[in-house]
PDB file of all heavy atoms in Angstrom:
ATOM      1  N   TYR A  31     -13.169   9.761   4.266  1.00  0.00           N
ATOM      2  CA  TYR A  31     -12.904  11.189   4.501  1.00  0.00           C
ATOM      3  C   TYR A  31     -11.558  11.609   3.966  1.00  0.00           C
ATOM      4  O   TYR A  31     -10.579  10.851   4.138  1.00  0.00           O
ATOM      5  CB  TYR A  31     -12.908  11.460   5.985  1.00  0.00           C
ATOM      6  CG  TYR A  31     -14.342  11.441   6.625  1.00  0.00           C
ATOM      7  CD1 TYR A  31     -15.448  11.104   5.935  1.00  0.00           C
ATOM      8  CD2 TYR A  31     -14.411  11.777   8.040  1.00  0.00           C
ATOM      9  CE1 TYR A  31     -16.733  11.128   6.578  1.00  0.00           C
ATOM     10  CE2 TYR A  31     -15.650  11.784   8.618  1.00  0.00           C
ATOM     11  CZ  TYR A  31     -16.841  11.344   7.872  1.00  0.00           C
ATOM     12  OH  TYR A  31     -17.997  11.335   8.502  1.00  0.00           O
ATOM     13  N   TYR A  33      -8.884  15.355   3.384  1.00  0.00           N
ATOM     14  CA  TYR A  33      -8.787  16.665   3.930  1.00  0.00           C
ATOM     15  C   TYR A  33      -7.480  17.417   3.263  1.00  0.00           C
ATOM     16  O   TYR A  33      -6.563  16.659   2.964  1.00  0.00           O
ATOM     17  CB  TYR A  33      -8.353  16.619   5.541  1.00  0.00           C
ATOM     18  CG  TYR A  33      -9.335  15.781   6.288  1.00  0.00           C
ATOM     19  CD1 TYR A  33      -9.129  14.366   6.396  1.00  0.00           C
ATOM     20  CD2 TYR A  33     -10.351  16.275   7.034  1.00  0.00           C
ATOM     21  CE1 TYR A  33      -9.870  13.616   7.216  1.00  0.00           C
ATOM     22  CE2 TYR A  33     -11.175  15.516   7.915  1.00  0.00           C
ATOM     23  CZ  TYR A  33     -10.935  14.049   7.893  1.00  0.00           C
ATOM     24  OH  TYR A  33     -11.814  13.346   8.669  1.00  0.00           O
ATOM     25  N   TYR A  35      -4.832  20.408   4.326  1.00  0.00           N
ATOM     26  CA  TYR A  35      -4.392  21.413   5.286  1.00  0.00           C
ATOM     27  C   TYR A  35      -3.204  22.208   4.668  1.00  0.00           C
ATOM     28  O   TYR A  35      -2.530  21.798   3.863  1.00  0.00           O
ATOM     29  CB  TYR A  35      -3.747  20.670   6.545  1.00  0.00           C
ATOM     30  CG  TYR A  35      -4.733  19.813   7.342  1.00  0.00           C
ATOM     31  CD1 TYR A  35      -4.990  18.528   7.076  1.00  0.00           C
ATOM     32  CD2 TYR A  35      -5.309  20.440   8.473  1.00  0.00           C
ATOM     33  CE1 TYR A  35      -5.866  17.755   7.828  1.00  0.00           C
ATOM     34  CE2 TYR A  35      -6.201  19.676   9.262  1.00  0.00           C
ATOM     35  CZ  TYR A  35      -6.507  18.266   8.875  1.00  0.00           C
ATOM     36  OH  TYR A  35      -7.389  17.563   9.721  1.00  0.00           O
ATOM     37  N   GLN A  37       0.258  24.383   6.248  1.00  0.00           N
ATOM     38  CA  GLN A  37       1.177  24.597   7.447  1.00  0.00           C
ATOM     39  C   GLN A  37       2.114  25.712   7.149  1.00  0.00           C
ATOM     40  O   GLN A  37       2.976  25.711   6.232  1.00  0.00           O
ATOM     41  CB  GLN A  37       2.003  23.351   7.719  1.00  0.00           C
ATOM     42  CG  GLN A  37       2.812  23.476   8.999  1.00  0.00           C
ATOM     43  CD  GLN A  37       3.682  22.303   9.389  1.00  0.00           C
ATOM     44  OE1 GLN A  37       4.008  21.471   8.498  1.00  0.00           O
ATOM     45  NE2 GLN A  37       3.837  22.085  10.589  1.00  0.00           N
ATOM     46  N   GLY A  40       5.663  28.429  12.449  1.00  0.00           N
ATOM     47  CA  GLY A  40       5.136  28.793  13.645  1.00  0.00           C
ATOM     48  C   GLY A  40       3.682  28.531  13.955  1.00  0.00           C
ATOM     49  O   GLY A  40       3.175  28.794  14.931  1.00  0.00           O
ATOM     50  N   MET A  41       3.132  27.798  12.945  1.00  0.00           N
ATOM     51  CA  MET A  41       1.557  27.529  13.076  1.00  0.00           C
ATOM     52  C   MET A  41       1.426  25.965  12.974  1.00  0.00           C
ATOM     53  O   MET A  41       2.287  25.271  12.301  1.00  0.00           O
ATOM     54  CB  MET A  41       0.793  28.192  11.959  1.00  0.00           C
ATOM     55  CG  MET A  41       1.070  29.657  11.930  1.00  0.00           C
ATOM     56  SD  MET A  41       0.023  30.560  13.078  1.00  0.00           S
ATOM     57  CE  MET A  41      -1.587  30.339  12.438  1.00  0.00           C
ATOM     58  N   GLY A  42       0.399  25.522  13.571  1.00  0.00           N
ATOM     59  CA  GLY A  42       0.101  24.129  13.396  1.00  0.00           C
ATOM     60  C   GLY A  42      -0.664  23.991  12.044  1.00  0.00           C
ATOM     61  O   GLY A  42      -0.726  24.969  11.239  1.00  0.00           O
ATOM     62  N   LEU A  43      -1.188  22.900  11.704  1.00  0.00           N
ATOM     63  CA  LEU A  43      -1.811  22.653  10.492  1.00  0.00           C
ATOM     64  C   LEU A  43      -3.332  23.342  10.590  1.00  0.00           C
ATOM     65  O   LEU A  43      -3.879  23.187  11.570  1.00  0.00           O
ATOM     66  CB  LEU A  43      -2.035  21.192  10.096  1.00  0.00           C
ATOM     67  CG  LEU A  43      -0.790  20.531   9.426  1.00  0.00           C
ATOM     68  CD1 LEU A  43       0.352  20.401  10.463  1.00  0.00           C
ATOM     69  CD2 LEU A  43      -1.120  19.184   9.032  1.00  0.00           C
ATOM     70  N   LEU A  45      -7.093  23.560   8.534  1.00  0.00           N
ATOM     71  CA  LEU A  45      -7.867  22.963   7.457  1.00  0.00           C
ATOM     72  C   LEU A  45      -8.352  23.849   6.433  1.00  0.00           C
ATOM     73  O   LEU A  45      -8.974  24.888   6.767  1.00  0.00           O
ATOM     74  CB  LEU A  45      -9.037  22.277   8.238  1.00  0.00           C
ATOM     75  CG  LEU A  45      -9.915  21.478   7.286  1.00  0.00           C
ATOM     76  CD1 LEU A  45      -9.154  20.206   6.845  1.00  0.00           C
ATOM     77  CD2 LEU A  45     -11.190  20.989   8.227  1.00  0.00           C
ATOM     78  N   TYR A  48     -12.460  19.976   3.202  1.00  0.00           N
ATOM     79  CA  TYR A  48     -12.465  18.512   3.379  1.00  0.00           C
ATOM     80  C   TYR A  48     -13.631  17.939   2.695  1.00  0.00           C
ATOM     81  O   TYR A  48     -14.489  18.628   2.053  1.00  0.00           O
ATOM     82  CB  TYR A  48     -12.703  18.278   4.947  1.00  0.00           C
ATOM     83  CG  TYR A  48     -13.965  18.709   5.543  1.00  0.00           C
ATOM     84  CD1 TYR A  48     -15.010  17.919   5.675  1.00  0.00           C
ATOM     85  CD2 TYR A  48     -14.014  20.052   6.039  1.00  0.00           C
ATOM     86  CE1 TYR A  48     -16.292  18.402   6.202  1.00  0.00           C
ATOM     87  CE2 TYR A  48     -15.219  20.484   6.620  1.00  0.00           C
ATOM     88  CZ  TYR A  48     -16.315  19.728   6.686  1.00  0.00           C
ATOM     89  OH  TYR A  48     -17.429  20.077   7.270  1.00  0.00           O
ATOM     90  N   VAL A  50     -16.313  14.418   2.794  1.00  0.00           N
ATOM     91  CA  VAL A  50     -16.824  13.290   3.502  1.00  0.00           C
ATOM     92  C   VAL A  50     -17.286  12.069   2.655  1.00  0.00           C
ATOM     93  O   VAL A  50     -17.821  11.101   3.159  1.00  0.00           O
ATOM     94  CB  VAL A  50     -18.064  13.629   4.515  1.00  0.00           C
ATOM     95  CG1 VAL A  50     -17.676  14.772   5.524  1.00  0.00           C
ATOM     96  CG2 VAL A  50     -19.268  14.194   3.723  1.00  0.00           C
ATOM     97  N   PHE A  90      -0.636  19.786   3.095  1.00  0.00           N
ATOM     98  CA  PHE A  90      -0.798  18.370   3.495  1.00  0.00           C
ATOM     99  C   PHE A  90      -2.191  17.880   3.043  1.00  0.00           C
ATOM    100  O   PHE A  90      -3.073  18.538   3.477  1.00  0.00           O
ATOM    101  CB  PHE A  90      -0.497  18.128   4.981  1.00  0.00           C
ATOM    102  CG  PHE A  90       1.016  18.232   5.436  1.00  0.00           C
ATOM    103  CD1 PHE A  90       1.469  19.422   5.826  1.00  0.00           C
ATOM    104  CD2 PHE A  90       1.733  17.082   5.115  1.00  0.00           C
ATOM    105  CE1 PHE A  90       2.791  19.543   6.189  1.00  0.00           C
ATOM    106  CE2 PHE A  90       3.123  17.337   5.576  1.00  0.00           C
ATOM    107  CZ  PHE A  90       3.623  18.472   6.065  1.00  0.00           C
ATOM    108  N   SER A  99     -11.050   5.707  15.810  1.00  0.00           N
ATOM    109  CA  SER A  99     -10.529   6.970  16.273  1.00  0.00           C
ATOM    110  C   SER A  99     -10.533   8.113  15.274  1.00  0.00           C
ATOM    111  O   SER A  99     -10.343   9.089  15.553  1.00  0.00           O
ATOM    112  CB  SER A  99      -9.048   6.708  16.707  1.00  0.00           C
ATOM    113  OG  SER A  99      -8.284   6.492  15.560  1.00  0.00           O
ATOM    114  N   TYR A 100     -10.837   7.719  14.025  1.00  0.00           N
ATOM    115  CA  TYR A 100     -10.886   8.581  12.888  1.00  0.00           C
ATOM    116  C   TYR A 100      -9.416   9.151  12.765  1.00  0.00           C
ATOM    117  O   TYR A 100      -9.291  10.244  12.265  1.00  0.00           O
ATOM    118  CB  TYR A 100     -11.869   9.750  13.151  1.00  0.00           C
ATOM    119  CG  TYR A 100     -13.298   9.277  13.428  1.00  0.00           C
ATOM    120  CD1 TYR A 100     -13.776   9.201  14.782  1.00  0.00           C
ATOM    121  CD2 TYR A 100     -14.133   8.931  12.429  1.00  0.00           C
ATOM    122  CE1 TYR A 100     -14.979   8.738  15.028  1.00  0.00           C
ATOM    123  CE2 TYR A 100     -15.388   8.526  12.703  1.00  0.00           C
ATOM    124  CZ  TYR A 100     -15.917   8.342  14.009  1.00  0.00           C
ATOM    125  OH  TYR A 100     -17.061   7.989  14.350  1.00  0.00           O
ATOM    126  N   GLU A 101      -8.489   8.341  13.160  1.00  0.00           N
ATOM    127  CA  GLU A 101      -7.072   8.738  12.912  1.00  0.00           C
ATOM    128  C   GLU A 101      -6.821   9.102  11.521  1.00  0.00           C
ATOM    129  O   GLU A 101      -7.289   8.451  10.457  1.00  0.00           O
ATOM    130  CB  GLU A 101      -6.124   7.641  13.116  1.00  0.00           C
ATOM    131  CG  GLU A 101      -4.752   7.811  12.936  1.00  0.00           C
ATOM    132  CD  GLU A 101      -3.833   6.625  12.787  1.00  0.00           C
ATOM    133  OE1 GLU A 101      -4.317   5.624  13.431  1.00  0.00           O
ATOM    134  OE2 GLU A 101      -2.801   6.602  12.178  1.00  0.00           O
ATOM    135  N   GLN A 102      -6.180  10.303  11.232  1.00  0.00           N
ATOM    136  CA  GLN A 102      -5.829  10.792   9.889  1.00  0.00           C
ATOM    137  C   GLN A 102      -4.373  10.279   9.460  1.00  0.00           C
ATOM    138  O   GLN A 102      -3.560  10.436  10.234  1.00  0.00           O
ATOM    139  CB  GLN A 102      -6.045  12.304   9.878  1.00  0.00           C
ATOM    140  CG  GLN A 102      -7.539  12.757  10.096  1.00  0.00           C
ATOM    141  CD  GLN A 102      -7.679  14.243   9.774  1.00  0.00           C
ATOM    142  OE1 GLN A 102      -6.881  15.000   9.242  1.00  0.00           O
ATOM    143  NE2 GLN A 102      -8.855  14.630  10.304  1.00  0.00           N
ATOM    144  N   PHE A 104      -1.484  10.938   6.820  1.00  0.00           N
ATOM    145  CA  PHE A 104      -1.057  12.123   6.004  1.00  0.00           C
ATOM    146  C   PHE A 104      -0.232  11.732   4.887  1.00  0.00           C
ATOM    147  O   PHE A 104       0.577  10.831   5.069  1.00  0.00           O
ATOM    148  CB  PHE A 104      -0.336  13.065   6.928  1.00  0.00           C
ATOM    149  CG  PHE A 104      -1.235  14.005   7.875  1.00  0.00           C
ATOM    150  CD1 PHE A 104      -1.591  13.370   9.037  1.00  0.00           C
ATOM    151  CD2 PHE A 104      -1.595  15.167   7.509  1.00  0.00           C
ATOM    152  CE1 PHE A 104      -2.480  14.084   9.902  1.00  0.00           C
ATOM    153  CE2 PHE A 104      -2.326  15.983   8.273  1.00  0.00           C
ATOM    154  CZ  PHE A 104      -2.908  15.489   9.460  1.00  0.00           C
ATOM    155  N   PRO A 106       2.975  13.085   2.235  1.00  0.00           N
ATOM    156  CA  PRO A 106       4.356  13.654   2.517  1.00  0.00           C
ATOM    157  C   PRO A 106       4.333  15.189   2.503  1.00  0.00           C
ATOM    158  O   PRO A 106       5.244  15.797   2.877  1.00  0.00           O
ATOM    159  CB  PRO A 106       5.162  13.091   1.497  1.00  0.00           C
ATOM    160  CG  PRO A 106       4.291  12.754   0.318  1.00  0.00           C
ATOM    161  CD  PRO A 106       2.913  12.408   0.931  1.00  0.00           C
TER     162      PRO A 106
ATOM    163  N   PHE B  35      -5.134  13.537  19.823  1.00  0.00           N
ATOM    164  CA  PHE B  35      -4.099  12.890  18.972  1.00  0.00           C
ATOM    165  C   PHE B  35      -2.734  13.639  19.245  1.00  0.00           C
ATOM    166  O   PHE B  35      -2.672  14.904  19.475  1.00  0.00           O
ATOM    167  CB  PHE B  35      -4.296  12.986  17.532  1.00  0.00           C
ATOM    168  CG  PHE B  35      -5.599  12.393  17.046  1.00  0.00           C
ATOM    169  CD1 PHE B  35      -6.834  12.941  17.244  1.00  0.00           C
ATOM    170  CD2 PHE B  35      -5.582  11.074  16.457  1.00  0.00           C
ATOM    171  CE1 PHE B  35      -8.008  12.414  16.839  1.00  0.00           C
ATOM    172  CE2 PHE B  35      -6.790  10.533  16.077  1.00  0.00           C
ATOM    173  CZ  PHE B  35      -7.924  11.071  16.220  1.00  0.00           C
ATOM    174  N   TYR B  37       0.970  14.004  17.015  1.00  0.00           N
ATOM    175  CA  TYR B  37       1.629  13.676  15.846  1.00  0.00           C
ATOM    176  C   TYR B  37       3.103  14.128  16.019  1.00  0.00           C
ATOM    177  O   TYR B  37       3.287  15.172  16.563  1.00  0.00           O
ATOM    178  CB  TYR B  37       1.078  14.318  14.556  1.00  0.00           C
ATOM    179  CG  TYR B  37      -0.178  13.696  14.109  1.00  0.00           C
ATOM    180  CD1 TYR B  37      -1.531  13.944  14.596  1.00  0.00           C
ATOM    181  CD2 TYR B  37      -0.148  12.835  13.052  1.00  0.00           C
ATOM    182  CE1 TYR B  37      -2.588  13.301  14.187  1.00  0.00           C
ATOM    183  CE2 TYR B  37      -1.297  12.151  12.483  1.00  0.00           C
ATOM    184  CZ  TYR B  37      -2.468  12.509  13.060  1.00  0.00           C
ATOM    185  OH  TYR B  37      -3.681  11.821  12.634  1.00  0.00           O
ATOM    186  N   GLN B  39       6.435  15.404  13.740  1.00  0.00           N
ATOM    187  CA  GLN B  39       6.908  15.912  12.472  1.00  0.00           C
ATOM    188  C   GLN B  39       8.431  16.040  12.502  1.00  0.00           C
ATOM    189  O   GLN B  39       8.924  17.042  13.017  1.00  0.00           O
ATOM    190  CB  GLN B  39       6.193  17.151  12.088  1.00  0.00           C
ATOM    191  CG  GLN B  39       6.504  17.694  10.616  1.00  0.00           C
ATOM    192  CD  GLN B  39       5.823  18.827  10.183  1.00  0.00           C
ATOM    193  OE1 GLN B  39       5.767  19.830  10.951  1.00  0.00           O
ATOM    194  NE2 GLN B  39       5.362  18.894   9.002  1.00  0.00           N
ATOM    195  N   GLY B  43       9.715  16.389   7.318  1.00  0.00           N
ATOM    196  CA  GLY B  43       8.409  17.058   7.016  1.00  0.00           C
ATOM    197  C   GLY B  43       7.184  16.142   7.167  1.00  0.00           C
ATOM    198  O   GLY B  43       6.068  16.746   7.290  1.00  0.00           O
ATOM    199  N   MET B  45       4.139  13.846   8.640  1.00  0.00           N
ATOM    200  CA  MET B  45       3.358  13.886   9.854  1.00  0.00           C
ATOM    201  C   MET B  45       3.174  12.409  10.270  1.00  0.00           C
ATOM    202  O   MET B  45       2.604  11.554   9.552  1.00  0.00           O
ATOM    203  CB  MET B  45       1.949  14.505   9.618  1.00  0.00           C
ATOM    204  CG  MET B  45       1.990  15.930   9.374  1.00  0.00           C
ATOM    205  SD  MET B  45       2.572  16.956  10.733  1.00  0.00           S
ATOM    206  CE  MET B  45       1.236  16.916  11.795  1.00  0.00           C
ATOM    207  N   PHE B  47       1.701   9.727  13.051  1.00  0.00           N
ATOM    208  CA  PHE B  47       0.695   9.487  14.125  1.00  0.00           C
ATOM    209  C   PHE B  47       1.463   8.818  15.309  1.00  0.00           C
ATOM    210  O   PHE B  47       2.134   7.782  15.063  1.00  0.00           O
ATOM    211  CB  PHE B  47      -0.435   8.736  13.654  1.00  0.00           C
ATOM    212  CG  PHE B  47      -1.280   8.166  14.781  1.00  0.00           C
ATOM    213  CD1 PHE B  47      -2.148   8.935  15.464  1.00  0.00           C
ATOM    214  CD2 PHE B  47      -1.291   6.861  15.031  1.00  0.00           C
ATOM    215  CE1 PHE B  47      -2.932   8.552  16.549  1.00  0.00           C
ATOM    216  CE2 PHE B  47      -2.047   6.303  16.102  1.00  0.00           C
ATOM    217  CZ  PHE B  47      -2.899   7.173  16.845  1.00  0.00           C
ATOM    218  N   TYR B  50      -3.385   8.060  20.401  1.00  0.00           N
ATOM    219  CA  TYR B  50      -4.716   8.568  20.490  1.00  0.00           C
ATOM    220  C   TYR B  50      -5.381   8.346  21.826  1.00  0.00           C
ATOM    221  O   TYR B  50      -5.151   7.187  22.432  1.00  0.00           O
ATOM    222  CB  TYR B  50      -5.552   7.922  19.337  1.00  0.00           C
ATOM    223  CG  TYR B  50      -6.998   8.132  19.438  1.00  0.00           C
ATOM    224  CD1 TYR B  50      -7.709   9.347  19.080  1.00  0.00           C
ATOM    225  CD2 TYR B  50      -7.815   7.054  20.095  1.00  0.00           C
ATOM    226  CE1 TYR B  50      -8.969   9.474  19.214  1.00  0.00           C
ATOM    227  CE2 TYR B  50      -9.186   7.261  20.187  1.00  0.00           C
ATOM    228  CZ  TYR B  50      -9.785   8.448  19.723  1.00  0.00           C
ATOM    229  OH  TYR B  50     -11.218   8.620  19.867  1.00  0.00           O
ATOM    230  N   PHE B  91       3.028  17.862  17.518  1.00  0.00           N
ATOM    231  CA  PHE B  91       1.709  18.479  17.492  1.00  0.00           C
ATOM    232  C   PHE B  91       0.616  17.716  18.317  1.00  0.00           C
ATOM    233  O   PHE B  91       0.445  16.475  18.097  1.00  0.00           O
ATOM    234  CB  PHE B  91       1.237  18.681  16.143  1.00  0.00           C
ATOM    235  CG  PHE B  91       2.099  19.580  15.323  1.00  0.00           C
ATOM    236  CD1 PHE B  91       3.125  19.265  14.554  1.00  0.00           C
ATOM    237  CD2 PHE B  91       1.962  21.030  15.428  1.00  0.00           C
ATOM    238  CE1 PHE B  91       3.990  20.045  13.766  1.00  0.00           C
ATOM    239  CE2 PHE B  91       2.693  21.851  14.741  1.00  0.00           C
ATOM    240  CZ  PHE B  91       3.807  21.420  13.895  1.00  0.00           C
ATOM    241  N   ARG B  95      -9.966  16.164  17.807  1.00  0.00           N
ATOM    242  CA  ARG B  95     -11.192  15.798  16.964  1.00  0.00           C
ATOM    243  C   ARG B  95     -12.310  15.984  17.769  1.00  0.00           C
ATOM    244  O   ARG B  95     -12.534  15.345  18.754  1.00  0.00           O
ATOM    245  CB  ARG B  95     -11.198  14.396  16.377  1.00  0.00           C
ATOM    246  CG  ARG B  95     -12.578  14.020  15.737  1.00  0.00           C
ATOM    247  CD  ARG B  95     -12.568  12.653  15.312  1.00  0.00           C
ATOM    248  NE  ARG B  95     -12.293  11.649  16.444  1.00  0.00           N
ATOM    249  CZ  ARG B  95     -13.133  11.460  17.379  1.00  0.00           C
ATOM    250  NH1 ARG B  95     -14.338  11.994  17.450  1.00  0.00           N
ATOM    251  NH2 ARG B  95     -12.764  10.573  18.403  1.00  0.00           N
ATOM    252  N   GLY B 103     -20.412  16.183  10.749  1.00  0.00           N
ATOM    253  CA  GLY B 103     -19.652  14.927  10.825  1.00  0.00           C
ATOM    254  C   GLY B 103     -18.387  14.977  10.173  1.00  0.00           C
ATOM    255  O   GLY B 103     -17.933  14.008   9.542  1.00  0.00           O
ATOM    256  N   SER B 104     -17.625  16.045  10.197  1.00  0.00           N
ATOM    257  CA  SER B 104     -16.424  16.276   9.396  1.00  0.00           C
ATOM    258  C   SER B 104     -15.216  15.489  10.119  1.00  0.00           C
ATOM    259  O   SER B 104     -14.387  15.093   9.389  1.00  0.00           O
ATOM    260  CB  SER B 104     -16.114  17.721   9.300  1.00  0.00           C
ATOM    261  OG  SER B 104     -15.796  18.269  10.511  1.00  0.00           O
ATOM    262  N   TYR B 105     -15.230  15.410  11.408  1.00  0.00           N
ATOM    263  CA  TYR B 105     -14.198  14.923  12.152  1.00  0.00           C
ATOM    264  C   TYR B 105     -12.866  15.550  11.835  1.00  0.00           C
ATOM    265  O   TYR B 105     -11.884  14.814  11.834  1.00  0.00           O
ATOM    266  CB  TYR B 105     -14.169  13.326  11.978  1.00  0.00           C
ATOM    267  CG  TYR B 105     -15.527  12.673  12.332  1.00  0.00           C
ATOM    268  CD1 TYR B 105     -16.356  12.222  11.392  1.00  0.00           C
ATOM    269  CD2 TYR B 105     -15.878  12.599  13.610  1.00  0.00           C
ATOM    270  CE1 TYR B 105     -17.574  11.568  11.781  1.00  0.00           C
ATOM    271  CE2 TYR B 105     -17.034  12.028  14.106  1.00  0.00           C
ATOM    272  CZ  TYR B 105     -17.873  11.551  13.155  1.00  0.00           C
ATOM    273  OH  TYR B 105     -19.037  11.019  13.579  1.00  0.00           O
ATOM    274  N   GLN B 106     -12.958  16.764  11.539  1.00  0.00           N
ATOM    275  CA  GLN B 106     -11.751  17.402  11.259  1.00  0.00           C
ATOM    276  C   GLN B 106     -10.837  17.517  12.474  1.00  0.00           C
ATOM    277  O   GLN B 106     -11.402  17.579  13.627  1.00  0.00           O
ATOM    278  CB  GLN B 106     -11.982  18.859  10.651  1.00  0.00           C
ATOM    279  CG  GLN B 106     -12.808  19.652  11.513  1.00  0.00           C
ATOM    280  CD  GLN B 106     -13.293  20.982  10.811  1.00  0.00           C
ATOM    281  OE1 GLN B 106     -12.496  21.931  10.806  1.00  0.00           O
ATOM    282  NE2 GLN B 106     -14.524  20.941  10.366  1.00  0.00           N
ATOM    283  N   LEU B 107      -9.567  17.754  12.298  1.00  0.00           N
ATOM    284  CA  LEU B 107      -8.583  17.935  13.497  1.00  0.00           C
ATOM    285  C   LEU B 107      -8.310  19.363  13.659  1.00  0.00           C
ATOM    286  O   LEU B 107      -8.112  20.101  12.501  1.00  0.00           O
ATOM    287  CB  LEU B 107      -7.386  17.121  13.174  1.00  0.00           C
ATOM    288  CG  LEU B 107      -7.479  15.579  13.258  1.00  0.00           C
ATOM    289  CD1 LEU B 107      -6.073  15.009  12.963  1.00  0.00           C
ATOM    290  CD2 LEU B 107      -8.051  15.105  14.576  1.00  0.00           C
ATOM    291  N   PHE B 109      -5.243  21.632  15.243  1.00  0.00           N
ATOM    292  CA  PHE B 109      -3.858  21.378  15.837  1.00  0.00           C
ATOM    293  C   PHE B 109      -3.473  22.529  16.687  1.00  0.00           C
ATOM    294  O   PHE B 109      -3.878  23.708  16.405  1.00  0.00           O
ATOM    295  CB  PHE B 109      -2.987  21.275  14.543  1.00  0.00           C
ATOM    296  CG  PHE B 109      -3.007  20.004  13.796  1.00  0.00           C
ATOM    297  CD1 PHE B 109      -3.957  19.775  12.897  1.00  0.00           C
ATOM    298  CD2 PHE B 109      -2.069  18.974  14.065  1.00  0.00           C
ATOM    299  CE1 PHE B 109      -4.097  18.495  12.268  1.00  0.00           C
ATOM    300  CE2 PHE B 109      -2.135  17.831  13.399  1.00  0.00           C
ATOM    301  CZ  PHE B 109      -3.085  17.593  12.481  1.00  0.00           C
ATOM    302  N   GLY B 110      -2.576  22.228  17.582  1.00  0.00           N
ATOM    303  CA  GLY B 110      -1.789  23.254  18.334  1.00  0.00           C
ATOM    304  C   GLY B 110      -0.714  23.695  17.449  1.00  0.00           C
ATOM    305  O   GLY B 110      -0.513  23.281  16.340  1.00  0.00           O
ATOM    306  N   LYS B 111       0.079  24.667  18.042  1.00  0.00           N
ATOM    307  CA  LYS B 111       1.215  25.266  17.180  1.00  0.00           C
ATOM    308  C   LYS B 111       2.388  24.423  17.324  1.00  0.00           C
ATOM    309  O   LYS B 111       3.454  24.633  16.582  1.00  0.00           O
ATOM    310  CB  LYS B 111       1.525  26.690  17.667  1.00  0.00           C
ATOM    311  CG  LYS B 111       0.319  27.562  17.389  1.00  0.00           C
ATOM    312  CD  LYS B 111       0.641  29.118  17.694  1.00  0.00           C
ATOM    313  CE  LYS B 111      -0.479  29.917  17.199  1.00  0.00           C
ATOM    314  NZ  LYS B 111      -0.245  31.433  17.508  1.00  0.00           N
TER     315      LYS B 111
END
Side-chain angles (χ1 to χ4, degrees):
Chain A
Y31 289 4
Y33 313 82
Y35 294 90
Q37 184 180 26
M41 307 280 288
L43 278 68
L45 184 67
Y48 64 95
V50 300
F90 286 96
S99 69
Y100 308 97
E101 172 197 339
Q102 293 189 14
F104 283 83
Chain B
F35 300 78
Y37 284 85
Q39 186 178 43
M45 297 290 288
F47 166 75
Y50 165 79
F91 291 97
R95 168 191 54 76
S104 67
Y105 302 109
Q106 58 189 279
L107 293 181
F109 284 82
K111 294 187 177 182

